[in-house]
Amino acid sequence: MGLAYLRFWTVKVLVNANPMRFYVGNPLYVLYLRALGARIGKNVTILSQSVPVCTDLVTIGAGTVIRKESHFAGYRAHAGRIQTGRVTIGRDAFVGEKTVLDIDTSMGDRSQLGYASALQSGDSVPDGERWHGSPPSAPMSTTCASRRRAAAACGGRCSDSAACSSCSCSRSRSWSAARTSWSRRSRY
């Protein structure tokens, strides 16, 4: 074990042992991260108890919301070595629950990363786009959410059959509607 790793391990233990991590969601937690060296804008809400160790490599824009159980540590262990890298999140961004932002990742202004998603090293979510998945492969605007909106807008009768019927979400919605109508009939 080298001296650099010993120093890293000491910082990690001290940061995680600090009782300020129990102030998650409170503005005091943001002040604590700023005191450790993180660059964090105004009106940021961080609900994740995963305290970033390399706080000087974390930048979070104003108005951003980071949901619980999100990880953005600024380091990773790879091939027996600790690698560090920047994690940059733009203004008014949203990081969903149980997400992972690896080193050297970024999210643009007004971007969103969905539930249980992961940005791998070098990935970037462009300004205003909504991505989800692991690895995130497509903007959310072309997935189930927009298909549900398209199907609802046309009542399921649109000419684009892919938008109305190919998505499992629309099938589960129709099953839910059928179950609700059946339960109403069974009461009488």
Side-chain angles (χ1 to χ4, degrees), residues 10 30 35 39 41 46 52 67-69 92 95 106 122 134 162 167 186:
T10 304
V30 174
R39 289 177 294 282
I46 301 175
R67 298 287 298 168
K68 64 182 180 177
E69 298 182 37
D92 300 316
V95 180
S106 66
S134 179
C167 179
S186 65

Side-chain angles (χ1 to χ4, degrees), residues 17 30 38 45 50 62 87 102 105 121 140 142 165-166 168:
V30 174
T45 302
S50 174
V87 176
D102 200 3
T105 56
S121 185
M140 288 172 104
T142 60
S165 62
S166 69
S168 63

Side-chain angles (χ1 to χ4, degrees), residues 4 7 10 12-13 30-31 48 50 63 85 104 145 148 162 171-172 178:
R7 191 177 89 191
T10 304
K12 182 178 173 182
V13 168
V30 174
L31 290 174
S48 176
S50 174
D104 298 322
R148 282 194 305 260
R171 286 193 293 272
S172 66

Side-chain angles (χ1 to χ4, degrees), residues 108-187:
D109 295 341
R110 298 169 314 286
S111 62
Q112 296 180 13
L113 186 61
Y115 174 84
S117 299
L119 283 183
Q120 297 177 6
S121 185
D123 286 348
S124 178
V125 179
D127 290 351
E129 288 198 11
R130 297 179 287 168
W131 286 19
H132 76 288
S134 179
S137 58
M140 288 172 104
S141 62
T142 60
T143 58
C144 297
S146 64
R147 289 181 184 164
R148 282 194 305 260
R149 283 193 298 275
C154 69
R157 298 178 304 276
C158 71
S159 60
D160 183 8
S161 61
C164 285
S165 62
S166 69
C167 179
S168 63
C169 298
S170 62
R171 286 193 293 272
S172 66
R173 189 185 73 241
S174 61
W175 166 252
S176 174
R179 189 177 62 217
T180 303
S181 110
W182 177 79
S183 66
R184 287 183 189 149
R185 280 185 268 153
S186 65
R187 280 192 248 156

Side-chain angles (χ1 to χ4, degrees), residues 17-53:
N18 193 322
M20 285 301 292
R21 68 181 295 187
F22 297 113
Y23 286 95
V24 169
N26 191 313
L28 290 175
Y29 184 67
V30 174
L31 290 174
Y32 168 63
L33 293 179
R34 284 181 186 148
L36 290 175
R39 289 177 294 282
I40 301 176
K42 293 182 179 182
N43 299 322
V44 170
T45 302
I46 301 175
L47 301 171
S48 176
Q49 285 190 351
S50 174
V51 181
V53 176

Side-chain angles (χ1 to χ4, degrees), residues 75-106:
Y75 78 93
R76 69 176 176 181
H78 181 72
R81 296 192 179 268
I82 298 295
Q83 297 176 339
T84 60
R86 295 202 173 278
V87 176
T88 306
I89 304 171
R91 288 182 295 107
D92 300 316
F94 176 81
V95 180
E97 292 182 19
K98 300 183 179 184
T99 57
V100 176
L101 299 173
D102 200 3
I103 63 172
D104 298 322
T105 56
S106 66

